[in-house]
């Protein structure tokens, strides 16, 4: 009886090793790519702060209001845990727009800032984080 080879295990081990090396190099040389914190942004809600920070860490959040006529208003603020955007400022911004087309929110761990970044694969702009 022949002993079983472990060729498949080498392939799986090499694949997992490459994933770990890729993650560690990204963490060392481009940490802003791993700093996105969208899960920390809560819902708008009827009461309390608008889009509150639900995590136990500070984040930089960006709220963009896009108008139907092409006018856009974006604001970036640092939010401590439990803080959110100012409802009165949002209402004033909505009054300045001639009709709301859509709302976009992006959040990053501090000190990184939410912004549009170039996708490595498609060369299109997408939401991401940049260095301060």
């Amino acid at each position: 009886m022949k002993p079983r080879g472990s060729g498949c295990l080498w392939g799986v081990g090499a694949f997992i090793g490459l994933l770990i090396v890729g993650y560690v190099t990204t963490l060392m040389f481009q940490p802003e790519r791993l700093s996105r914190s969208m899960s920390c942004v809560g819902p708008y809600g009827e009461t309390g702060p608008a889009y509150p920070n639900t995590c136990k860490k500070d984040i930089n959040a960006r709220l963009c209001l896009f108008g139907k006529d092409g006018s856009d208003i974006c604001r970036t603020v640092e939010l401590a845990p439990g803080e959110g955007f100012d409802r009165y400022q949002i209402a004033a911004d909505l009054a300045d727009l001639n009709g709301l087309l859509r709302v976009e929110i992006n959040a990053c761990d501090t000190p990184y800032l939410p912004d549009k970044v170039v996708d490595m694969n498609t060369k299109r702009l997408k939401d991401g984080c940049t260095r301060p």
Side-chain angles (χ1 to χ4, degrees), residues 25-36 112 131:
T25 31
T26 302
L27 193 58
M28 288 172 47
F29 297 110
Q30 294 178 324
E32 67 273 9
R33 291 186 61 204
L34 301 174
S35 67
R36 205 128 179 251
Y112 304 107
R131 293 179 188 251

Side-chain angles (χ1 to χ4, degrees), residues 4-131:
R4 286 181 98 171
S6 60
C8 182
L9 289 178
W10 279 104
V12 170
F15 179 72
I16 290 173
L18 284 174
L19 287 177
I20 291 171
V21 168
Y23 178 78
V24 169
T25 31
T26 302
L27 193 58
M28 288 172 47
F29 297 110
Q30 294 178 324
E32 67 273 9
R33 291 186 61 204
L34 301 174
S35 67
R36 205 128 179 251
S37 298
M38 286 305 297
S39 61
C40 291
V41 179
Y44 183 80
E46 295 296 322
T47 60
Y51 304 111
N53 177 3
T54 58
C55 291
K56 295 180 181 179
K57 61 183 176 182
D58 291 351
I59 62 169
N60 286 320
R62 181 177 185 170
L63 174 69
C64 290
L65 304 172
F66 294 92
K68 290 181 180 178
D69 62 354
S71 59
D72 306 332
I73 299 173
C74 292
R75 300 197 186 281
T76 302
V77 294
E78 183 174 338
L79 299 176
E83 287 184 346
F85 286 91
D86 182 13
R87 287 181 179 275
Y88 298 110
Q89 184 65 53
I90 294 173
D93 291 343
L94 286 171
D96 290 343
L97 293 176
N98 292 330
L100 180 65
L101 181 63
R102 72 178 192 274
V103 176
E104 283 186 6
I105 298 176
N106 189 13
C108 301
D109 296 339
T110 55
Y112 304 107
L113 298 172
D115 202 357
K116 295 288 185 185
V117 296
V118 177
D119 187 294
M120 291 176 22
N121 298 320
T122 63
K123 304 299 183 210
R124 292 184 179 173
L125 291 177
K126 66 176 186 174
D127 287 333
C129 302
T130 59
R131 293 179 188 251

